[in-house]
Amino acid sequence: CIRVLAPRGGVRDLSEFQVSFKEIPQVDFCLDSQVAWGIVPLPIRAQVDARVRSSLEQFLRAELVDPKYMVVKANSLKPKHSLSDLDVQTAIEDAEWAKKQLGVGHAPRTWD
């Protein structure tokens, strides 16, 4: 479960918010590493993979699990009184991306 808090308190100002997890999240990723000594490859991929995964879990637990949080700043989400051409173009591109994610001609996704 993820918690998002807008500390500025403004209903319309989402330019800065906090993100944290209620518990350690399950993270899945693919790690491809190659370790060599000079030109001789070393067979330690599993050890490197385990260390990277362990370090990521330690980081998540220490920095992003309640009561810790990460502050995300998104200046593009500050309230505006007018829109620039770039704002309009960005909104169009974001809407097109969202349409592709939903699938053209498919019913909108619903979340319970």
Side-chain angles (χ1 to χ4, degrees):
C1 183
I2 190 170
R3 180 176 67 95
V4 177
L5 176 66
R8 292 183 184 255
V11 174
R12 304 173 105 203
D13 188 355
L14 296 175
S15 63
E16 185 174 305
F17 53 93
Q18 299 170 354
V19 176
S20 67
F21 297 95
K22 295 287 186 184
E23 57 190 35
I24 188 81
Q26 289 185 347
V27 178
D28 188 23
F29 61 93
C30 179
L31 179 66
D32 184 18
S33 62
Q34 295 179 357
V35 181
W37 185 292
I39 62 169
V40 179
L42 300 175
I44 59 172
R45 279 188 176 186
Q47 292 91 337
V48 170
D49 185 90
R51 181 65 182 140
V52 169
R53 290 175 188 278
S54 172
S55 295
L56 179 60
E57 183 177 339
Q58 288 173 357
F59 169 78
L60 289 171
R61 189 178 305 281
E63 302 295 330
L64 295 176
V65 175
D66 271 342
K68 301 281 187 153
Y69 57 86
M70 173 178 55
V71 174
V72 177
K73 294 183 180 184
N75 289 331
S76 62
L77 296 178
K78 282 186 178 181
K80 296 182 179 187
H81 300 291
S82 64
L83 295 175
S84 69
D85 290 341
L86 180 59
D87 292 331
V88 173
Q89 184 60 38
T90 301
I92 291 169
E93 290 169 4
D94 289 347
E96 290 298 323
W97 178 85
K99 261 175 45 176
K100 287 179 186 174
Q101 296 303 309
L102 292 173
V104 177
H106 295 181
R109 293 173 72 182
T110 59
W111 290 270
D112 294 330

